[in-house]
Amino acid sequence: MKLIRIVSALAVCAALLCMAVGALAAPDASEVPTFEITLPESGVIGGGSTQMLVTASLPGFLTLTLTDASGAQVKALCDYREIHSGENAIYIEARDEEGEALSQGVYTVSGSMVSQFGVESSVVTQSLTINAPEVYEDEETGAQDGDADSGDSQQSTSSGSSGSSSSTSSSGTSSAATSDVTYSAGTSTIGDEGYAIGVGVSDVVPQDDAGYWGLTADASDAEIWAAITRTMVGVDVGESESAYIYDSPEEGRSRLGTVSGISQGLNVIKERDDGWALVEAFRNEDGAFVRGYIRSNKLRVVEPNTTYGIVIDKASQTLTVYKDGERIGSCAVSTGLATSKYLHRETPAGEFITVTRRGTTEYYGMGYCKYTIRINGSYHIEEIPTTKKNGSDFSLLEDSLGQKATRGNICIAHDASSDGGINAEWIWNMTDENKKVKVLVFDDKDRSQVPVGE
């Protein structure tokens, strides 16, 4: 009798399992999709960027718009962007269609989605607060800067702020011009620690083991591979957040700029006994090379992938892939083109690791980029955009490969290169199985030449 009951129970379980499998194989094409929008309660600073979460019941395509208090549309945040069931992270800038920072106030994010079977959702709205940064006056110079020193991390503004650094006195200048951006250099001494770079410095602290920070783009393959596989020191905040570098660890310090969390590398020159570290990096605001101070408890060690590495040379606008110490191919890219109005569009140099794989993303309302992978705050490596989602028209940037043209992202060719068959899809597939691939970005100007803004 027990045996019969067991067999019967197994039969029932098998039947239920078949029903479940059948249900999975045949989703309800008529189901109405639902989704929720989650925005940061603290809002976002005008001109900055932030992350919003969209939690969807079904996969489909999402459209979001931003309107002001009067109900007028400010900008389209995304248009039929592909999303998955569950949580989807979407990064938005607090700027209008012209790139200008949004004014302080309460705005409304409105959206709807269409399921993969074409069924439309109801409209969902959520309020977004745009904050104005507090302004303080430097006691010595009278110069104004952002909010006072109330913390060391903020939501990522690498596609936002374009203000110049809070530099101190200059003891000599040199200048050069690139496009319509002017660069200037000078030095500022801080105690016995060396130099802080406000508007540039020609001296670089000697390093016995500087990895990337002691290299130039014409270094040997052996030197580059050593830098690719070397342990990286990053900032221990979220990948969509950033931390400040200051000109001094003392009271009254000023901010030199921001670096992104998790994925962006720093060169640590010295860790002090007072909880601060002297570091070097390329800041997000305009790609300037800065040396200053960050709290030691903000630092973390990151072990990069030791099989693959990527090198991007902004001077030649090329991407080269290394595997096990050998070059295996290269292709043309297009990096950020800064202007005097939008210095933040300069793609920062430095060392990074690949983090979130975002897939298909919108290209400023004009098209879509596939194979998008975050490497630094709001900056990604991705395929050149198509004018239609999953389309084949790459005319938006195809003719610009090999020269600066983007708003900060590194756009990669669609067609496979003759040198190793490298393209955006190849990079996407490689990073699917290989996490934390280090990306070295070599600058196209001397580190003493720093954009000063207007």
Side-chain angles (χ1 to χ4, degrees), residues 168-229:
T168 53
S169 61
S170 173
S171 61
T173 60
S174 62
S175 63
T178 301
S179 182
D180 56 346
V181 182
T182 300
Y183 300 96
S184 181
T187 63
S188 174
T189 303
I190 295 182
D192 297 325
E193 294 296 306
Y195 295 100
I197 301 179
V199 291
V201 64
S202 57
D203 300 76
V204 176
V205 175
Q207 297 289 292
D208 294 330
D209 180 25
Y212 165 88
W213 304 96
L215 297 182
T216 58
D218 58 358
S220 68
D221 286 348
E223 290 173 313
I224 288 177
W225 183 247
I228 286 173
T229 54

Side-chain angles (χ1 to χ4, degrees), residues 41-83:
E41 294 182 2
S42 59
V44 59
I45 293 175
S49 61
T50 189
Q51 172 181 291
M52 60 184 294
L53 287 179
V54 174
T55 306
S57 63
L58 295 171
F61 302 92
L62 177 72
T63 297
L64 294 173
T65 58
L66 185 69
T67 56
D68 60 21
S70 69
Q73 180 171 320
V74 176
K75 66 185 298 186
L77 299 176
C78 64
D79 185 23
Y80 287 94
R81 170 175 173 166
E82 184 177 3
I83 60 172

